[in-house]
Amino acid sequence: MINLKNILNKGELDREDIITLLSSESSEDLGLLKSKAYEILKEYCGIKVWLRGLIEFSNICVNDCYYCGIRKSNKSLNRYLLSKEEIINTALWCAEKGFGSIVLQSGERNDKNFVDFVSSVVSEIKKMTISDKLPEGLGITLCIGEQDYNSYKKLFEAGAHRYLLRIETSNEKLFREIHPPEQSFQRRVECLKMLKDIGFQTGTGVMIGLPNQTIEDLADDILFFKSIDIDMIGMGPYIIHKDTPMANSESLMKNENYKEHNYLLSLKMIATARIFLKDVNIASTTALQAIKPFGREAGLSFGANVIMPLITPEIYRKEYQLYEGKPCIEDLAEDCYDCSVQRIKSIDREVGFDEWGDSMHFISKNSKAD
Ligand code: 5AD
């Protein structure tokens, strides 16, 4: 029998080891996985949890991903775009509260107006949030999809310094199954390379528990993160959204149990990614809490170190549902802030107030290059 302890004590893990870790089932093995992930987190990143105020500033999207609730063909939601003032005021509120960083997330648009709009919002926020607490202003992460090189560059020059672009799955065949033909895996990899090239701290991630996705695929996802030398990871369980093509094609997954399964698999992915990649930032994503009330705390306990409290103005929250059961849609930003801080403290972790909380991986890579 394979002994999990032996694998966890090895220096370098190989693909087989990763598969074994992801296949852990007994509570004893899960306990070992969790404590090893925590040990590595403490050693390489410290135990602080970084807050990123998440502002979902628009649900308008040109893409038609088969899994996503805000895909362009979904006519059952009201499309919105926050005004510049609304976004800036929300960001100012975050800075005031001690969030060192925000994430500006939206559906994808590639037109010039959009890119110009986001650039000007970013540079304004940077200017307006410089203070004694934040000498370089709020840290800004963007999550606005695939763009061309010049747009990425413009956004970087405007002052955004991190970018999240999920690969969704590193299995190209599976990628094709969950996206329309206009979207390509290769293009997404190219975008990730451009982002790194420009100097962004770059994050990617996958959905966990997709139909036809195997444990081997997930192990390959972790190897993919390493091969492109990623700085940050945001990944979470796949959850059906009723107004998407994938909701209809999956009779098997209508079973409520799939959620429990995807939830546990996500915690194992977080722990294994932490053990294998060591010094990257890993987010404990909202989708975990959509399945279990304390899902985000669990993600932190399994090695994540970033949490993204929802700061989107309340009236827009219900229009930004990528999957079903999104938590906190009735709450106010203040509630999400208080609740996140409480939750972090409840598991004996410290909140990193007024700091950017950059990825240690990115920091050490760059200090080596100097
Ligand atoms: N379940 C889980 N995650 C989803 N996302 C989109 N739709 C779903 C879903 N049904 C994730 C994708 C995307 C991110 C913004 O949200 O990974 O990149």
Side-chain angles (χ1 to χ4, degrees):
M1 215 186 81
I2 303 164
N3 186 336
L4 207 76
K5 265 193 189 142
N6 292 342
I7 297 181
L8 291 173
N9 289 329
K10 276 170 86 169
E12 255 321 289
L13 304 184
D14 61 24
R15 185 170 183 268
E16 283 312 306
D17 297 329
I18 294 176
I19 293 171
T20 308
L21 297 187
L22 294 176
S23 311
S24 312
E25 288 295 342
S26 70
S27 52
E28 194 191 335
D29 282 355
L30 290 171
L32 288 171
L33 193 62
K34 179 170 154 183
S35 20
K36 184 70 185 184
Y38 192 67
E39 185 189 313
I40 304 261
L41 172 75
K42 225 158 83 180
E43 184 182 342
Y44 288 85
C45 305
I47 59 159
K48 272 195 189 168
V49 177
W50 308 114
L51 297 178
R52 319 274 188 239
L54 176 58
I55 308 173
E56 299 151 329
F57 68 92
S58 174
N59 63 357
I60 302 170
C61 191
V62 297
N63 287 331
D64 224 4
C65 308
Y66 299 152
Y67 46 84
C68 183
I70 65 165
R71 64 197 302 269
K72 75 168 174 211
S73 298
N74 184 5
K75 302 285 181 248
S76 63
L77 52 124
N78 299 312
R79 301 286 169 172
Y80 69 85
L81 167 67
L82 264 65
S83 70
K84 192 169 176 180
E85 287 64 39
E86 282 175 305
I87 306 176
I88 292 173
N89 287 338
T90 312
L92 291 177
W93 183 88
C94 289
E96 191 60 35
K97 278 290 186 183
F99 285 77
S101 305
I102 54 169
V103 177
L104 296 179
Q105 188 182 92
S106 70
E108 185 170 312
R109 271 177 60 187
N110 319 99
D111 51 287
K112 185 169 180 307
N113 278 349
F114 179 72
V115 175
D116 290 349
F117 173 77
V118 180
S119 301
S120 82
V121 168
V122 167
S123 60
E124 202 104 333
I125 292 174
K126 291 301 285 187
K127 266 191 270 162
M128 292 177 75
T129 52
I130 292 178
S131 68
D132 292 345
K133 292 194 301 186
L134 292 168
E136 292 181 77
L138 270 178
I140 302 183
T141 308
L142 292 177
C143 184
I144 56 171
E146 295 177 11
Q147 305 290 340
D148 61 26
Y149 187 90
N150 289 337
S151 302
Y152 281 149
K153 190 140 179 83
K154 181 166 187 172
L155 295 161
F156 185 73
E157 282 164 1
H161 83 290
R162 305 189 193 104
Y163 203 104
L164 295 172
L165 179 66
R166 289 191 181 181
I167 191 73
E168 314 298 356
T169 170
S170 65
N171 175 333
E172 283 195 59
K173 179 170 174 286
L174 187 55
F175 186 98
R176 279 195 297 275
E177 282 172 23
I178 62 173
H179 294 106
E182 308 80 77
Q183 281 173 260
S184 106
F185 177 85
Q186 285 312 332
R187 172 73 191 149
R188 214 162 267 205
V189 174
E190 274 163 29
C191 285
L192 287 168
K193 290 191 178 143
M194 289 193 281
L195 289 165
K196 286 183 50 184
D197 214 46
I198 290 169
F200 277 105
Q201 257 174 71
T202 306
T204 194
V206 293
M207 284 179 288
I208 299 160
L210 289 162
N212 301 330
Q213 187 183 43
T214 63
I215 292 284
E216 287 73 17
D217 290 332
L218 293 170
D220 289 336
D221 291 340
I222 293 182
L223 293 168
F224 172 84
F225 300 155
K226 176 119 182 169
S227 74
I228 56 164
D229 197 22
I230 214 69
D231 305 305
M232 326 180 286
I233 300 175
M235 57 187 173
Y238 165 64
I239 303 171
I240 293 172
H241 188 293
K242 66 175 173 23
D243 300 319
T244 61
M246 270 165 64
N248 308 325
S249 61
E250 293 153 32
S251 50
L252 234 186
M253 303 193 66
K254 299 230 167 86
N255 171 351
E256 273 294 299
N257 268 342
Y258 89 89
K259 286 193 190 169
E260 294 279 326
H261 175 262
N262 291 0
Y263 171 79
L264 189 59
L265 201 49
S266 300
L267 296 181
K268 292 191 271 187
M269 275 293 277
I270 291 176
T272 308
R274 170 62 65 208
I275 294 167
F276 188 65
L277 296 160
K278 301 194 166 56
D279 57 357
V280 296
N281 273 350
I282 304 181
S284 187
T285 53
T286 320
L288 286 167
Q289 197 183 321
I291 301 181
K292 294 265 184 185
F294 294 98
R296 277 203 274 185
E297 288 87 317
L300 293 175
S301 309
F302 275 75
N305 64 335
V306 170
I307 220 161
M308 310 198 306
L310 195 59
I311 310 299
T312 309
E314 191 226 338
I315 46 167
Y316 302 110
R317 292 182 178 204
K318 68 173 190 327
E319 310 293 354
Y320 201 96
Q321 297 194 59
L322 308 175
Y323 44 79
E324 271 156 37
K326 177 181 176 177
C328 320
I329 49 177
E330 306 279 319
D331 296 347
L332 302 174
E334 184 81 37
D335 302 331
C336 287
Y337 166 82
D338 290 341
C339 166
S340 299
V341 171
Q342 288 301 327
R343 283 166 183 253
I344 294 166
K345 292 187 175 158
S346 77
I347 53 165
D348 289 329
R349 296 275 285 274
E350 230 179 276
V351 183
F353 286 112
D354 299 318
E355 286 181 74
W356 281 2
D358 283 335
S359 155
M360 290 311 289
H361 185 74
F362 184 85
I363 293 172
S364 41
K365 215 165 45 184
N366 286 341
S367 61
K368 270 184 223 136
D370 287 344

